[in-house]
Amino acid sequence: MVKVEPHDLLKISAINYLITDGLPQWADDIFPDSLTVVVRRSEIIDGKIPVGIRGIKREQRFAAFVLNSAVKEVITPYRLVSEKVWQNVSDDRKMLPAIKALPAVAKILQEYKWGISGSVGFELATKTNSAKMTSDLDLVWKPNSPISREDAKNLLAKLNQFGVHTDLQVIQGNNGFSLEEYSQSKSTIMMKTLSDPILVKDPWKK
Amino acid sequence: MEKLHFNFDTKDAISKPVHVGVVASGDLEVIFRPTDKETEVNIVTGSDGFKEVWGNVLKRFFDRYPIQANIEINDFGSTPGVVNLRLTQALEELKDEK
């Protein structure tokens, strides 16, 4: 049994391992290039892992499931960092702001457990072109202890000085919240959970 | 990228502007501003083709909370669940500092 978390990328052997009532045309066309799905933040039911298929456009997202036994390889966002996968990217892809920023971002976050998600993570893991000139840099982060709003603001200011908007999601078990929202919050913030998102006052409270 | 526009005939005036949400994938920014004109919702969304879904989510919201406001939404591929939560959060902020 492989253990998976939201944002993990799963490689499967063939398109027919996807559990779905049918795929949209774009997914049929593009999925065989990567054979990689993203674990969605939702419950695993009867061994079926909730996953998403990524297309090229933002609205091209499609929900499906895969069985644990169908997973050939798990690539976590954290592994992309520990292996410094961005070093292997071609020179023209390194021109994309979200990819270009990675060496500097890695220096800032070197003491932490962090990973790369979103289109950049998908591109690094699958070697398919999925990031764009306008892509944000989506990161996941597992801090050892809570940080203050002030420290959150300072960290984001450091991360955002490379011409790309960094979206850092703080991961707590299966839940996640936006560090940016926390840094600006006066009352409640949104916590994404395996079921519906909820509003919380203190996102660090377990 | 798509721009959507909706009007609603609601009359509970709000007293101050509120701003909730963030610019992030799967999320949205929601801004409520007081107005003495017709309630207006202007949406800029990165996900095309969801006008009907937006219309349904907004209608349910205004049926329950008939506030009169000028509303601006910047959407980055959020789900209806997240949209509802952000609208609810904006309402709570309105109540908070009354």
Side-chain angles (χ1 to χ4, degrees):
Chain A
M1 279 290 261
V2 292
K3 211 176 159 290
V4 298
E5 290 179 21
H7 303 288
D8 284 353
L9 299 172
L10 311 181
K11 285 199 189 280
I12 63 176
S13 306
I15 193 166
N16 50 17
Y17 283 109
L18 291 172
I19 302 169
T20 162
D21 291 335
L23 291 176
Q25 187 61 46
W26 64 259
D28 249 333
D29 292 342
I30 199 172
F31 185 69
D33 294 347
S34 71
L35 292 174
T36 302
V37 290
V38 189
V39 177
R40 288 184 284 123
R41 185 170 271 112
S42 189
E43 298 282 358
I44 296 173
I45 298 167
D46 299 334
K48 287 192 278 186
I49 304 168
V51 296
I53 300 164
R54 286 188 75 100
I56 295 165
K57 295 186 190 158
R58 194 189 279 277
E59 63 267 32
Q60 290 177 337
R61 299 283 185 274
F62 192 75
F65 295 87
V66 294
L67 287 176
N68 208 298
S69 54
V71 177
K72 216 168 68 171
E73 187 185 2
V74 181
I75 303 174
T76 70
Y78 310 96
R79 184 175 132 192
L80 298 173
V81 171
S82 62
E83 293 179 1
K84 294 194 168 71
V85 177
W86 56 85
Q87 293 176 342
N88 314 330
V89 170
S90 71
D91 283 345
D92 59 320
R93 301 303 290 173
K94 275 184 192 155
M95 298 303 284
L96 298 177
I99 293 177
K100 198 175 170 187
L102 281 169
V105 164
K107 238 178 222 164
I108 294 167
L109 292 174
Q110 59 182 338
E111 317 241 314
Y112 295 109
K113 180 162 187 188
W114 65 287
I116 307 163
S117 54
S119 62
V120 175
F122 193 83
E123 170 151 353
L124 295 177
T126 62
K127 300 175 178 70
T128 58
N129 292 356
S130 90
K132 300 195 194 79
M133 280 306 282
T134 51
S135 290
D136 280 1
L137 179 57
D138 292 333
L139 304 178
V140 287
W141 185 48
K142 290 182 175 173
N144 292 324
S145 53
I147 69 166
S148 69
R149 288 188 173 78
E150 201 54 40
D151 287 348
K153 240 176 233 160
N154 292 336
L155 179 62
L156 288 170
K158 274 199 248 170
L159 291 172
N160 278 319
Q161 55 181 330
F162 309 109
V164 56
H165 179 249
T166 304
D167 175 15
L168 197 152
Q169 189 173 95
V170 182
I171 304 296
Q172 292 192 305
N174 286 313
N175 295 349
F177 66 90
S178 153
L179 192 73
E180 184 174 332
E181 184 174 13
Y182 168 69
S183 76
Q184 299 164 353
S185 67
K186 284 167 239 106
S187 47
T188 57
I189 74 167
M190 178 173 76
M191 180 74 83
K192 290 187 171 173
T193 75
L194 289 183
S195 43
D196 287 331
I198 53 172
L199 290 170
V200 296
K201 283 216 165 79
D202 178 4
W204 304 103
K205 212 162 116 184
K206 292 210 171 116
Chain B
M1 171 101 87
E2 194 171 14
K3 287 184 179 178
L4 304 172
H5 178 90
F6 298 91
N7 286 99
F8 293 88
D9 185 21
T10 46
K11 295 286 176 234
D12 292 355
I14 62 169
S15 56
K16 60 168 187 184
V18 291
H19 180 175
V20 298
V22 286
V23 178
S25 312
D27 211 324
L28 71 162
E29 274 186 308
V30 176
I31 302 153
F32 286 8
R33 292 188 184 90
T35 181
D36 48 15
K37 300 195 190 77
E38 193 181 16
T39 292
E40 198 177 306
V41 184
N42 287 298
I43 301 170
V44 179
T45 172
S47 306
D48 296 357
F50 290 96
K51 179 157 192 185
E52 205 184 317
V53 180
W54 280 104
N56 291 336
V57 168
L58 292 171
K59 187 178 177 305
R60 268 201 302 275
F61 176 78
F62 285 110
D63 280 348
R64 264 181 97 178
Y65 311 104
I67 58 162
Q68 181 182 9
N70 183 290
I71 297 181
E72 182 186 328
I73 293 177
N74 297 307
D75 171 59
F76 309 94
S78 56
T79 61
V82 172
V83 176
N84 270 319
L85 176 129
R86 289 296 184 202
L87 291 171
T88 309
Q89 186 183 24
L91 269 188
E92 284 180 5
E93 301 262 322
L94 279 178
K95 284 184 222 149
D96 254 10
E97 294 151 47
K98 246 182 194 168

